[in-house]
Amino acid sequence: NLILTNRSEEKRLKQMIQTSEKEKIDLNKVVHGCFEGYKIAYDEAKCERDALEYPILIRGVPEYIAQLLDKLVANAVEFSYKGQPITVYCHTMRDHAVVKITNAGPFLPEEMKGRLFESMISVRPQGKQKQPHLGIGLHIARIIADFHSGQISADNRPDKEGVIITLVVPLFYK
């Protein structure tokens, strides 16, 4: 049942994306709105934000970007060491918007970095879970990134133990 439920969520998203129209949106505003919710939802995780205060315009669907961010932040919180902050960055680099979500927690296994956004992939230890985790959340994030002509990646932090998830999306130009 769990597999069917997760596969249904993926299928519904793919169907919705096929009929969705992208519009000019302010990514910074979407990230800020989501971030305010994360501070309440994950009050024990100490969510921090580092973002520019001017509009970062992309072509997209705000609800899908929010869904993507929700999946990424939920994972960051789950894999973070207790009391350590989750940081959400939103900046521009040349002709792209860049969103980074970092945590302080265990490193990703080297062999999983390139596979983390595939369907049915999870790095959670099975012994610590009440039920199996099917690894569909980050796959859905990748589907949404693809829809926005973006790329999503995961890497270990270079400064300390933890992970950086990076979303890169083209900026909107007329």
Side-chain angles (χ1 to χ4, degrees):
N1 282 339
L2 187 59
I3 291 171
L4 290 174
T5 300
N6 281 291
R7 288 303 215 177
S8 294
E9 180 184 0
E10 177 185 359
K11 186 176 181 179
R12 275 192 309 275
L13 176 64
K14 286 180 177 180
Q15 289 172 340
M16 288 183 347
I17 280 175
Q18 287 177 349
T19 60
S20 296
E21 292 290 326
K22 294 180 203 168
E23 60 187 76
K24 180 173 74 169
I25 63 171
D26 180 355
L27 179 63
N28 204 17
K29 188 174 181 180
V30 174
V31 169
H32 178 73
C34 290
F35 180 80
E36 291 302 311
Y38 302 146
K39 287 195 310 191
I40 296 166
Y42 302 115
D43 62 337
E44 74 284 354
K46 294 199 286 187
C47 290
E48 298 175 353
R49 181 169 178 259
D50 177 21
L52 303 171
E53 294 303 321
Y54 59 80
I56 299 174
L57 302 178
I58 66 167
R59 284 181 33 86
V61 177
E63 294 81 13
Y64 295 162
I65 294 291
Q67 185 177 4
L68 179 151
L69 292 171
D70 291 350
K71 303 281 186 199
L72 299 182
V73 170
N75 268 291
V77 169
E78 184 176 348
F79 284 96
S80 186
Y81 294 139
K82 187 176 176 91
Q84 293 297 307
I86 306 300
T87 306
V88 179
Y89 301 88
C90 187
H91 295 278
T92 58
M93 184 183 301
R94 293 185 212 103
D95 54 353
H96 288 85
V98 178
V99 176
K100 292 186 179 199
I101 298 171
T102 65
N103 75 342
F107 284 130
L108 288 173
E110 284 299 318
E111 67 276 7
M112 295 306 291
K113 287 182 192 176
R115 301 188 58 214
L116 201 58
F117 296 95
E118 294 175 14
S119 182
M120 308 296 276
I121 297 293
S122 179
V123 295
R124 287 168 179 79
Q126 290 298 322
K128 293 185 176 183
Q129 301 179 69
K130 292 182 178 143
Q131 64 180 1
H133 189 276
L134 300 178
I136 200 78
L138 293 180
H139 178 64
I140 286 174
R142 194 202 78 218
I143 292 169
I144 295 169
D146 290 348
F147 171 73
H148 288 88
S149 303
Q151 294 179 334
I152 192 165
S153 62
D155 209 346
N156 291 320
R157 289 178 65 165
D159 59 337
K160 64 180 180 178
E161 194 176 13
V163 174
I164 302 171
I165 303 289
T166 305
L167 171 68
V168 180
V169 181
L171 291 173
F172 175 82
Y173 292 104
K174 294 180 182 180

